[in-house]
Amino acid sequence: MTTQLSEPIDAWQAPPESRLRRLALGPAEDPRWARPALWAVLALATALYGWGLSEGGYANDFYSAAVKSGTQSWKAFFFGSLDAASFITVDKPPMALWVQEIFGRIMGFGTWSLLLPEAVMGVAAIAVVYATVRRAFGPVAGVIAALVMTLTPITVAINRDNNPDTLLVLLLALAAWACQRALESGRLRWLLASAFFVGCGFNTKMLQAYILLPALALVYLLFARGGLLRRIGHLLAAGVVLAVSSFWWLVIVDLIPASKRPYIGGSTDGTAWNLVIGYNGIGRITGNEGGGLGSGGKMPSGGRGRPGGGGMFSGQSGIGRMFNDIIGGQISWLLPLTALVLVAGLVLYWRRPRTDLARAALVMWGGWLALHFAVFSFASGIMHPYYTTAMAPAIAALTGIGAVELTRARRRGGAWPWILPLGVAATGAWAFVLLGRTPDWNPWLAWVIAGLTVVAVIGLLATRLGPGALARFGVLAAVAGLVAGLAGPAAFAVSAAGSHANGSNPTAGPNSGGMGFPRGMRGGMPGGGQLPAAIRERLAENGGFPGGGLPGGPPGGGSPGGEARGNAPGGRASDGQGGGPGQGGEASSQMISYLEKNQGGATWLVAVSNSQSAASVILQTGKPVISMFGFGGSDRAMTAQKLQELVKAGKLHYVMTGGGFGGRGGPGGGDSEVTSWVTKNCTAVKATEYGGSAQSTESSLYRCG
């Protein structure tokens, strides 16, 4: 049993000559195997996150185009603009983009510089979780926590992608680490650091970063050193730091006149504040994002909603969402065990002193998991499976804590020797159920896990009979239990590492090949059903999902068995495959070449209906492209008057209509005034002018001014 120090030694407080040794070999009080074990886990994580990383193209084109633009323009860098000329931003704050853009400015923009920081941040988050768990529960718990987080399937998938969640998880892990340091030291600076990290998380993914706040604040209020008034004062000071670190970018952006800044993508009025409280805020819970995808998972009949948020991507909201066919295999493998660990741990630590670090850490990790579980389960708005990677640090920490503390609790007698075998049995049984949902994918694995679970449970029960031959089963039982618990998620994790992530909806494990949905969502609905005919027809009318395509088809809207359009590094959209209404509104390579030759002195190469189409052209040409109606064609970024002004000033010569998506993009939608102005005041460019056929089905291209 590792003796906990009342005042843990900080590696950075050690003499300079010993710092490197402590980082490499670990503190002297740790067993010699602990730090090499950590390095081995981090090496495994590096392999899983970095293997063939640059071969999957630009991952999420939407964010990748913004990164490319940010490497070309400091204005685009600051605002998080989709295009280098800053007409419209992406629908998130820019902090995650800043990390990638800094790498891109140093290394040059490309798939490697784009995705390398994601892998680095993913590995760093594991190291932070290890350090946090180890300080309260020792190196064994820390190493197990690090291994569990490394092998969490959805975490592997998202760390090979360029969505903002990887940075968010790292920042939240740092916030928990700093909060725990504040608990054990009583020093205000650590609590302020925790608040600062949460504020940075806000500038990464807005209100999702705040899900953790109640747990951190409650733990400090209840368990920190000092009197009640002192703790309340510290929390108020941390609140000031949180507010400043959260809202500085938002305030600066909204103070700049609208004519001097880009339209804030995802908002209804072009302000960052509206983005916070609407599309990226309360709307994610209620389903009324005010311009975002969601509306409770229902297809809107009109207005600004977009089809199918939470229900389409993650199944219906409710207590069982984390265990359904879509999300279950991504994150839920160890959820039954962690629930048991949390309850048992609270019983074990109930009578400890108020400032006991272990109890405080258990409540912190348990609060992290419970809050995220509740929000993700019952959210009616957009809910992608990869959001659940934010639960991985808590699941990993509680698993490591449970492995150590429940083993020690067996010595107490009574019912305690039964708790760990019960947890192992529940974990193995749930893994068997999850793998049974994909019977054609490595069918032997479920039976191996079942066998190992039986061995582990029998071994753990045998050890309670006392010393002797039966007690020797303890080591074998522990190893069998660990392998049984991690074999399923490890298989899914390896699957994610060996495939190219779907940039817009990355998942791990067996995949149906459509939009990155797991096998349980073939055709776009849980359980393998098809989307209702009315929804599929409406999607087809409006260009499918952003970037093209319907559930059950390949990403990017390509034909079955074909390549996704515009996804290869430096590639171009397929000739003749640009969409009109119903095909995503993408331009062919012939059209793009024509636009480049005829851009002249215009600021923007072309204006298109939505950000996915714009991102494809930006990545192919490196030139600014206007997304008139944002990610899904529902933003009010372009008006007929604004378009007229751009054309009159010579900043825009070409407009491509069609390919709309959602309430504003479809026929008769809110963009009709823009389309009407274009058709009346601009000249249609015949497909034959840029090498296309007279029968081309591409979106209509117009020359204006």
Side-chain angles (χ1 to χ4, degrees), residues 333-338 340-341 406 410 417-434 446 449-461 477-478 480-482 484-485:
W333 300 85
L334 297 171
L335 278 179
L337 175 63
T338 55
L340 182 64
V341 168
L406 293 183
R410 291 163 55 80
W418 296 91
I419 303 300
L420 186 58
L422 176 62
V424 172
T427 301
W430 180 236
F432 193 85
V433 172
L434 288 174
I449 291 175
L452 289 172
T453 301
V454 171
V455 170
V457 171
I458 292 176
L460 291 171
L461 292 176
L482 184 63

Side-chain angles (χ1 to χ4, degrees), residues 376-404:
F376 291 160
S377 293
F378 294 99
S380 296
I382 302 173
M383 175 62 203
H384 284 283
Y386 65 81
Y387 294 176
T388 60
T389 189
M391 300 167 63
I395 292 174
L398 290 171
T399 301
I401 293 168
V404 171

